[in-house]
Amino acid sequence: MSMKADIPETHVLAVASHVVHGYVGNTMAAFAMRAMGCEVSALNTVQFSNHVAYGQFRGRSMSADEIHNLYRGLQENDLVDFDVMLSGFASSAAAVEAVGCIGRDLKLRSSIKPGSFFWVLDPVMGDEGEWYVDEDVLPIYKTLLPDADLLVPNLFELEILSDTKVRSPRDLVTAVTKLHTFQRIPHIAITSVRFTKSSPTISVIGSSRRSDGTPRLFEIIVPSLDCFFSGTGDLFAALTIARLRETTVAANLQATSSWLSPDGVSAVDLPLAKALEKVLASMHTMLGKSKAAVDRVMEEAGPEHLRQEAESKKKVDLLVTRAAEVKLVRNLKDLWEPKVVFKAIPLVLE
């Protein structure tokens, strides 16, 4: 199978969860980045049999000491020449702190060569008001924000990191401006944005800060799919790394601190905007194919009233969860050759 994506050579340290079955965390992100042509070193923060949407799993989380120890092994063998770090799920405050130490060490090593290291921070804490981890991770994540180059929160994580209730586009602008100005985060991409649950569309809203800290906000709107998938945030972050590397090199910004564009570049012309157009094109196509697999399973499961019987419902739920694993391996062409339909537009404030 030949490589179709023209991604510049990129060495990524991916620090995230791992499952034996399915596609979440590093099982999703590392594979996707490798498929795009990146060299990936995976440091796993948990080892589970399967992801938690199945309702039951076996395995364990890595301790902070184990995370530190694995990174020390890389240091001792001079294996820390990374261009990018992706940090995702960590199960405790101590583990988040350990991951932060890794990011800061890599940032320090690259400090004499602007643009040579880029940290993508996915602050996995929860979604739609529900916490996945203990709330004591929040203050640790806040201490990491000034060192991140790109933050990829969902709407809930944006709220708690910025201490801002986000109920409208104007609220979102306030939250993003706070993070750009006070935490000096260069780039932000907020996933799964919609302000009414009945909305037939869903958005990603991104921004790259100007030198004075003001945002350059754009929005990419895509039709929503009536299906729950695990691992989509991990796929989003992974593809964003590959595509942002591509658009950054095309803009000749790879030797610029945090790959930031000059202030005169408009929101929709930012490398981040161009990268996310391709990311969302790939994801929407791939998730559409994955939903078709779920629909087939639901049809085969039989009438709704039969599915409500306890044993039948449990069996069907497991079948549907398995069917909802993102169909990544058989659809790599969608990663390599995205058909861009959904374009970045300036964020409109209602």
Side-chain angles (χ1 to χ4, degrees):
M1 187 176 287
S2 60
M3 180 57 57
K4 303 290 182 68
D6 187 22
I7 305 301
E9 187 172 346
T10 306
H11 191 184
V12 182
L13 175 63
V15 186
S17 60
H18 178 269
V19 293
V20 177
H21 172 84
Y23 290 96
V24 300
N26 265 342
T27 319
M28 172 70 87
F31 182 88
M33 288 187 285
R34 287 169 181 148
M36 294 294 288
C38 300
E39 187 71 38
V40 181
S41 300
L43 196 166
N44 299 324
T45 57
V46 306
Q47 175 79 1
F48 289 164
S49 57
N50 49 268
H51 61 72
V52 298
Y54 282 91
Q56 54 194 0
F57 61 92
R58 296 294 182 98
R60 70 183 188 90
S61 300
M62 299 296 116
S63 69
D65 285 344
E66 287 172 310
I67 294 169
H68 279 300
N69 197 42
L70 288 170
Y71 184 66
R72 277 196 291 270
L74 296 178
Q75 289 176 309
E76 290 163 359
N77 290 285
D78 198 22
L79 298 174
V80 289
D81 55 336
F82 299 107
D83 304 301
V84 178
M85 174 173 158
L86 169 60
S87 59
F89 180 78
S91 61
S92 67
V96 172
E97 198 161 20
V99 174
C101 288
I102 295 172
R104 285 171 171 153
D105 181 70
L106 292 171
K107 199 91 172 174
L108 181 62
R109 289 169 180 270
S110 68
S111 58
I112 61 172
K113 191 178 178 183
S116 62
F117 176 72
F118 192 93
W119 183 357
V120 178
L121 174 58
D122 184 359
V124 183
M125 290 181 281
D127 197 10
E128 296 185 346
E130 179 183 347
W131 286 82
Y132 301 153
V133 291
D134 289 338
E135 295 182 26
D136 62 353
V137 301
L138 178 57
I140 308 302
Y141 272 117
K142 286 183 175 182
T143 67
L144 305 184
L145 295 179
D147 294 301
D149 296 290
L150 168 61
L151 182 70
V152 288
N154 58 36
L155 207 55
F156 171 68
E157 291 156 349
L158 176 70
E159 284 188 334
I160 59 179
L161 287 169
S162 65
D163 297 311
T164 305
K165 287 290 184 184
V166 179
R167 299 293 180 265
S168 69
R170 289 188 183 277
D171 295 337
L172 187 144
V173 172
T174 298
V176 169
T177 302
K178 280 184 180 181
L179 293 174
H180 275 327
T181 304
F182 300 116
Q183 303 291 356
R184 299 195 63 80
I185 301 173
H187 309 276
I188 301 170
I190 306 109
T191 61
S192 304
V193 178
R194 57 179 167 187
F195 295 106
T196 58
K197 287 189 175 182
S198 60
S199 173
T201 62
I202 196 164
S203 299
V204 166
I205 296 177
S207 176
S208 296
R209 68 186 296 275
R210 297 184 183 90
S211 56
D212 64 357
T214 54
R216 286 175 281 188
L217 283 150
F218 62 87
E219 179 177 24
I220 304 175
I221 305 169
V222 300
S224 61
L225 297 171
D226 186 19
C227 189
F228 175 79
F229 300 101
S230 296
T232 52
D234 304 302
L235 180 59
F236 176 84
L239 294 181
T240 298
I241 285 172
R243 291 303 182 185
L244 184 57
R245 183 76 160 165
E246 177 185 48
T247 56
T248 293
V249 170
N252 198 29
L253 293 169
Q254 67 271 24
T256 303
S257 180
S258 296
W259 304 349
L260 268 170
S261 301
D263 286 355
V265 177
S266 69
V268 297
D269 292 322
L270 291 166
L272 182 62
K274 297 302 180 185
L276 293 185
E277 288 176 346
K278 289 188 174 182
V279 170
L280 293 179
S282 291
M283 290 188 64
H284 190 71
T285 301
M286 187 172 290
L287 293 179
K289 293 176 180 178
S290 301
K291 184 181 184 301
V294 175
D295 291 343
R296 287 193 295 271
V297 169
M298 292 295 287
E299 185 177 353
E300 293 168 2
E304 178 68 26
H305 69 276
L306 294 179
R307 291 187 230 143
Q308 298 309 313
E309 297 174 14
E311 283 302 313
S312 295
K313 185 176 188 305
K314 181 178 180 181
K315 183 178 180 181
V316 171
D317 286 348
L318 288 173
L319 286 172
V320 171
T321 302
R322 184 170 183 175
E325 297 284 2
V326 176
K327 302 300 179 281
L328 184 63
V329 175
R330 301 290 292 181
N331 295 294
L332 294 180
K333 187 177 179 181
D334 297 329
L335 303 188
W336 299 334
E337 300 174 3
K339 294 179 175 60
V340 175
V341 178
F342 314 109
K343 305 285 285 187
I345 59 174
L347 179 64
V348 177
L349 299 181
E350 299 175 350

